[in-house]
Amino acid sequence: MSDALKDAPSGGPDISHVTLKNGLEIVVIPDHRTPVVTHMVWYRNGSADDPIGKSGIAHFLEHLMFKGTEKHRQGEFSDVVTALGGQENAFTSVDYTAYYQRVAREHLKTMMEFEADRMTGLVLTDEIVDPERDVVIEERRMRTDTDPAAELGEALAATLFTHHPYGKPIIGYMHEIEGLKREDALNYYRRFYTPENAILVVAGDVSKDEVVRLADETYGKIAARGEKPVRLRPREPDPRSTRRVTLADPKVEQPSLQLAWLAPSYTTATKGEAEALEVLVQLIGASGTGRLHRKLVMDEAVAVAAGAWYQSTAVDRSRLLVYGVPRPGVTLEALEDRILAVLDDMAKHPVEAGELRRAKTRLVADAIYAQDSQSSLARMYGSALATGSTVDDVKTWPEAIETVDAEAVQKAAQTCLNRHRMVTGYLMKDEAA
């Protein structure tokens, strides 16, 4: 899985970070190879900030932000982006919501004017909200309720996070989506869509002075509201037991399993802890080179796929997940035993120096290659700042990875990959249906 901090640049462009008088943060990432810019606005709110009983409101509001404002009719912003030959989209995560456009550099101010307008000028009526809610309901039905793997993912998250809102689906629960109203969207909009709560990231053929001047002429006109909105989130208690989730469905063609643990994020970790987990996941779960693939897919031939990912960029304590798909004739229980044996070996024995060096080299190489993508650079910095990290944290990430040693990796395995605190998810075919 791609991760914002995992792909941090090494020796990259000269990044600028300034703040307007109204509290809007600005990150400028020069990239003069083509006369194009990526313009992104990040808000520090996501599904984990949805009020109790209103799951899915952050994602629903993302949809509604493409409706009209007092100045611009519904669909006008998108029509202009298309007419200019640009691209646009938006996405909601557990911790943030972001909107972006990619256009020729001379149209940057136009994008800023439209985006600044919908930061405060959104107009919603029941005639707009009700049909769009039906769109989201259908989206949930198609992407989750008819997909056993997605249903298992929801159940696994809800079991891992018993108290923290990371256990809620980003799109929301169906019965709560059905109850979302116009006033729910407006209340959420007024709370979070403020300059103090936003980060503007511009990557492309621009200079710092140019971006700051244009931002001040557009976003700078928005009055400050005061302090940033407070995120009210309970802390997830430390797990004290193993838990198992099983989903059987006749639509399942290929059984699979997942093992999940709570893990510190860059925001909550002690110094060096998250970096050690990054290296650990690279060692065990990298595609084609990780121990799980080499031992279970190549050597023992008990799996057709096996790997791991770590969601390191988060406001609160996050998750680490290991997965496996068994070969025909191999049970999920047998594959789980073999996966745990690989993980136990990481905890019992220090990694060999050459293997550790290669893992860190691959991580840093990914960081360097990521600089080729303008949008990837913008996402790195936007997601990092939206979850509590700094520009310097992203810029110095490769150096932090290089400091990880075998002892830190072994300690990370011992601390995080505790089989007595994991959640196991089985996805199986329901033969009786």
Side-chain angles (χ1 to χ4, degrees), residues 209-275:
D209 292 345
E210 175 187 12
V211 171
V212 172
R213 175 178 58 79
L214 293 176
D216 197 43
E217 293 173 0
T218 52
Y219 295 100
K221 295 178 180 178
I222 303 173
R225 300 263 195 96
E227 296 296 322
K228 296 177 183 178
V230 177
R231 288 174 157 179
L232 304 174
R233 299 177 176 186
R235 177 182 171 182
E236 180 67 27
D238 291 334
R240 299 184 180 275
S241 63
T242 58
R243 290 141 290 166
R244 185 177 296 273
V245 178
T246 301
L247 191 149
D249 191 287
K251 296 189 292 294
V252 173
E253 297 296 333
Q254 176 64 66
S256 63
L257 68 88
Q258 300 179 59
L259 309 176
W261 292 266
L262 291 178
S265 66
Y266 274 98
T267 308
T268 65
T270 59
K271 183 176 177 58
E273 190 178 18
E275 290 84 356

Side-chain angles (χ1 to χ4, degrees), residues 396-413:
T396 61
W397 181 88
E399 289 78 9
I401 288 295
E402 292 294 353
T403 66
V404 175
D405 57 22
E407 181 181 359
V409 171
Q410 185 178 11
K411 181 179 179 182

Side-chain angles (χ1 to χ4, degrees), residues 64-77 113-124 128 189:
L64 295 173
M65 285 290 284
F66 286 86
K67 307 305 178 181
T69 68
E70 295 175 0
K71 293 182 179 179
H72 300 289
R73 61 170 174 78
Q74 181 174 331
E76 183 179 348
F77 191 175
E113 289 171 338
F114 271 104
E115 201 68 82
D117 174 52
R118 69 176 174 181
M119 184 180 286
T120 58
L122 187 64
V123 173
L124 297 179
I128 292 172
Y189 175 68

Side-chain angles (χ1 to χ4, degrees), residues 160-171:
L160 182 64
F161 295 101
T162 61
H163 191 50
H164 191 282
Y166 283 166
K168 297 186 298 185
I170 293 173
I171 196 170

